């Protein structure tokens, strides 16, 4: 299952097919990073299998205006294309 989080509160749920069990395990890490980094740090999880709808979890999306099911950024596309990860 996949959730869209904002400031630690679940506000929207999107389809269960959106996130596999492997990625779902990283939500707790994302929550931890978001909490320790404070209110001015957006944290998200991408599923790069679907670049057009890659954001499967996000906290503090108000910073960039992004939300769950948004796509990879142009920079992310370049990094993947050049295999600079």
């Amino acid at each position: 299952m996949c959730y869209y989080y904002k400031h630690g509160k679940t506000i929207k749920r999107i389809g269960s097919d959106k996130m596999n069990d492997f990625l779902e395990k990283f939500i707790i890490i994302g929550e931890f990073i978001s909490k320790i980094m404070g209110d001015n740090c957006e944290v998200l999880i991408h599923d790069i299998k679907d670049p057009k709808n890659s954001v499967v979890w996000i906290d503090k999306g108000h910073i960039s205006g992004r939300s769950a099911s948004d796509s990879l950024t142009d920079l992310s596309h370049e990094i993947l294309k050049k295999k600079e990860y």
Side-chain angles (χ1 to χ4, degrees):
M1 81 184 54
C2 180
Y3 297 94
Y4 171 79
Y5 285 80
K6 187 171 184 180
H7 297 293
K9 296 183 180 182
T10 305
I11 60 170
K12 182 180 177 186
R13 176 187 251 179
I14 60 176
S16 61
D17 60 333
K18 191 67 183 137
M19 182 185 296
N20 64 40
D21 290 338
F22 178 76
L23 289 176
E24 193 168 357
K25 294 174 185 176
F26 289 96
I27 290 175
I28 194 165
I29 297 168
E31 290 173 332
F32 172 74
I33 292 170
S34 182
K35 189 170 187 173
I36 63 169
M37 294 303 292
D39 291 335
N40 295 317
C41 180
E42 179 179 273
V43 180
L44 52 88
I45 297 171
H46 283 284
D47 183 350
I48 60 173
K49 292 179 189 174
D50 184 5
K52 291 185 180 181
N53 299 289
S54 69
V55 178
V56 293
W57 179 88
I58 188 167
D59 191 20
K60 301 181 189 110
H62 67 280
I63 292 172
S64 68
R66 293 188 289 182
S67 62
S69 78
D70 279 356
S71 65
L72 287 172
T73 62
D74 291 339
L75 175 61
S76 299
H77 281 288
E78 274 301 307
I79 290 169
L80 289 173
K81 184 179 174 182
K82 293 179 179 180
K83 298 185 179 186
E84 294 178 345
Y85 39 88

